[in-house]
């Protein structure tokens, strides 16, 4: 008779709860930082035509040379830096964690941060240190520097802007961390399109800086493409862990095509930023709602009874993210992704109705 699974699966895996994706059919979907706009029809038709001729019987180009060249130009990647592609940036986080997971190695980040940093540390059997942000969601630089000195983390992940708080950290503080770190520092710029700041220009300054981007939040979440930018010394090693055909032919084709029209996604990002400003103002005008500053395509807010408001919103057909209970700094916090103007209006209306409801 085979052993029971709890004698076979690693205990730390048995203990995990899977990354939770909420059912969203028929809902106003403002929970996952997706770009609400689709591609223009002429581009979609062009893609369909190209897709018809794709050699889907063949493996994709594992070097993705032509896609990388397009990314290099679109993102103004500095000369001398290499690119590694991932099936979303989630996969890149996993590759990095696997690469540095020597016995006793530590992966460090902040809390609250993107939950995959911690989860992937567990997958890769690497120790995890999450340093709490200050109450205003800024970096606790002193604690971070002492933790770096004490635990010598092999890698530090910093999302810039941060998810789920939405803010940009002080760039000089991040630079101090990069300079103090004995290992790699990955600056995760998933929300770069909505912020006016980047570490791209600092890559040449810091030999241990790796910059991560994704096309997901920009508008191509369904295609799954993330990229890591850094020195060849680092990327040559990490490439060894990348599964050879991790980026499919369809993703390579479509992303390259869309990058030939860089203005499309950029203009959508501009529209999202404008809506973000409108929405922040509307939220600030509501009684009992605290609105946090954001440089991303979502807004973090605090209400009186977040879990109840979250459920009320759902009843109104609006899906957002409830963060209450996920970290002490996020007590009664909700995160809402910026949608189209009519979706945002529906959210605001439902929110007003939900916060007015007496607490039972
Ligand atoms: C969404 C997100 C990612 C992951 O994006 P992919 O879709 O896997 O490319 C990475 N980092 C942060 C901070 C995110 O919010």
């Amino acid at each position: 008779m085979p052993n029971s699974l709890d004698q076979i699966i690693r205990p730390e895996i048995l203990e995990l709860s899977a990354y939770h994706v909420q059912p969203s059919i028929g809902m106003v979907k403002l929970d996952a930082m997706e770009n609400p706009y689709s591609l223009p029809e002429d581009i979609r038709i062009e893609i369909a035509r190209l897709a018809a001729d794709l050699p889907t019987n063949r493996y994709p180009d594992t070097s993705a040379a032509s896609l990388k060249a397009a990314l290099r130009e679109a993102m103004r990647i500095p000369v001398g830096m290499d690119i590694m592609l991932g099936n979303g940036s989630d996969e890149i986080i996993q590759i990095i964690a696997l690469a540095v997971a020597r016995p006793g190695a530590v992966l460090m980040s902040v809390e609250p941060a993107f939950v995959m940093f911690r989860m992937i540390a567990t997958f890769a059997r690497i120790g995890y240190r999450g340093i709490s942000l200050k109450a205003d969601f800024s970096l606790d630089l002193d604690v971070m520097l002492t933790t770096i000195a004490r635990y010598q983390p092999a890698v530090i992940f910093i999302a810039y802007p941060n998810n789920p708080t939405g803010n940009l950290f002080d760039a000089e503080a991040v630079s101090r961390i990069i300079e103090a770190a004995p290992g790699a520092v990955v600056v995760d710029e998933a929300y770069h399109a909505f912020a006016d700041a980047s570490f791209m220009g600092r890559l040449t300054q810091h030999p241990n800086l790796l910059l991560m981007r994704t096309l997901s939040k920009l508008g191509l979440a369904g295609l799954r493409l993330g990229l890591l930018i850094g020195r060849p010394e680092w990327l040559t090693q990490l490439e060894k862990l990348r599964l050879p055909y991790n980026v499919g032919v369809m993703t390579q084709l479509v992303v390259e095509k869309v990058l030939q029209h860089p203005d499309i996604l950029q203009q959508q990002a501009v529209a999202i930023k404008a809506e973000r400003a409108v929405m922040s103002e509307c939220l600030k005008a509501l009684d009992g709602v605290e609105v946090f500053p954001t440089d991303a395509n979502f807004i973090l807010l605090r209400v009186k009874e977040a879990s109840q408001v979250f459920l009320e919103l759902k009843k109104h057909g609006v899906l957002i993210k409830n963060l209450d209970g996920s970290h002490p700094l996020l007590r009664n916090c909700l995160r809402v992704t910026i949608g189209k103007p009519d979706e945002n209006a529906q959210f605001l209306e439902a929110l007003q109705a939900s916060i007015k409801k007496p607490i039972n």
Side-chain angles (χ1 to χ4, degrees):
M1 208 176 60
N3 285 340
S4 72
L5 281 191
D6 51 9
Q7 290 172 286
I8 298 168
I9 306 283
R10 290 155 51 195
E12 63 274 26
I13 304 300
L14 290 169
E15 261 177 40
L16 280 179
S17 28
Y19 186 86
H20 181 59
V21 177
Q22 315 181 80
S24 60
I25 295 169
M27 309 274 283
V28 175
K29 192 174 184 314
L30 303 177
D31 67 326
M33 284 80 87
E34 292 149 327
N35 173 344
Y37 302 105
S38 47
L39 292 170
E41 190 169 1
D42 53 336
I43 308 283
R44 282 189 280 144
I45 290 170
E46 201 182 338
I47 288 169
R49 212 169 351 92
L50 292 167
D53 292 329
L54 261 189
T56 47
N57 55 320
R58 301 291 178 195
Y59 282 112
D61 171 10
T62 179
S63 72
S66 117
L67 172 57
K68 280 186 187 171
L71 287 164
R72 195 173 274 288
E73 187 176 323
M75 296 190 179
R76 299 199 189 90
I77 293 172
V79 176
M81 296 296 154
D82 272 2
I83 303 171
M84 180 178 77
L85 301 182
N87 192 290
S89 43
D90 287 347
E91 190 189 37
I92 294 174
I93 303 168
Q94 182 161 280
I95 288 173
I96 296 168
L98 286 172
V100 301
R102 296 163 150 234
V106 166
L107 181 156
M108 184 174 145
S109 189
V110 300
E111 292 278 335
F114 184 47
V115 293
M116 292 313 293
F117 300 150
R118 177 199 282 269
M119 286 190 78
I120 287 172
T122 304
F123 302 169
R125 269 187 203 269
I126 180 167
Y128 176 79
R129 291 271 144 193
I131 307 305
S132 186
L133 298 174
K134 294 186 177 175
D136 64 356
F137 302 137
S138 64
L139 291 173
D140 196 334
L141 185 59
D142 291 341
V143 177
M144 292 200 73
L145 293 177
T146 45
T147 307
I148 290 168
R150 177 149 176 220
Y151 292 95
Q152 299 285 304
V155 60
I156 302 173
F157 283 92
I158 295 177
Y160 183 83
N162 191 40
N163 170 18
T165 57
N167 57 310
L168 280 168
F169 297 126
D170 176 56
E172 291 323 306
V174 176
S175 279
R176 292 269 307 275
I177 289 165
I178 299 168
E179 278 158 14
V185 177
V186 181
V187 173
D188 175 357
E189 297 190 341
Y191 299 97
H192 169 256
F194 314 101
D196 299 313
S198 172
F199 273 71
M200 190 75 86
R202 299 190 192 223
L203 274 169
T204 47
Q205 257 166 267
H206 301 290
N208 58 335
L209 171 61
L210 298 170
L211 190 86
M212 195 163 68
R213 294 264 180 101
T214 174
L215 296 192
S216 296
K217 311 305 164 34
L218 188 59
L220 302 174
L223 290 173
R224 311 302 300 129
L225 188 75
L227 58 152
L228 187 73
I229 303 150
R231 300 193 183 221
E233 303 90 275
W234 277 101
L235 269 62
T236 306
Q237 299 306 323
L238 297 173
E239 272 287 343
K240 297 175 187 172
L241 279 114
R242 185 179 65 83
L243 299 177
Y245 304 116
N246 64 331
V247 180
V249 284
M250 193 63 91
T251 299
Q252 294 194 28
L253 171 93
V254 180
V255 174
E256 203 182 325
K257 191 81 242 165
V258 173
L259 289 178
Q260 286 170 5
H261 308 269
D263 45 314
I264 295 170
L265 297 180
Q266 280 316 321
Q267 275 167 20
Q268 292 179 347
V270 168
I272 291 166
K273 287 202 283 187
E275 265 303 298
R276 172 180 75 188
V278 173
M279 186 120 111
S280 292
E281 286 315 305
C282 293
L283 284 167
K284 280 180 194 158
L286 296 180
D287 253 356
V289 179
E290 184 183 357
V291 186
F292 295 96
T294 176
D295 288 285
N297 63 342
F298 60 85
I299 299 176
L300 185 75
L301 46 141
R302 179 174 280 131
V303 295
K304 291 217 174 63
E305 293 286 337
S307 296
Q308 184 176 325
V309 169
F310 171 74
L311 289 175
E312 279 301 318
L313 285 169
K314 241 178 161 167
K315 282 188 206 157
H316 284 83
V318 178
L319 188 65
I320 63 167
K321 177 88 176 171
N322 181 13
L323 295 163
D324 187 47
S326 64
H327 187 275
L329 288 178
L330 297 176
R331 217 179 120 66
N332 277 321
C333 283
L334 300 168
R335 186 190 67 196
V336 59
T337 304
I338 310 297
K340 291 181 184 170
D342 61 310
E343 297 174 315
N344 302 335
Q346 274 187 70
F347 159 73
L348 284 166
E349 200 174 308
L351 180 68
Q352 267 174 294
S354 306
I355 55 184
K356 277 205 198 100
K357 255 197 109 154
I359 290 153
N360 42 37

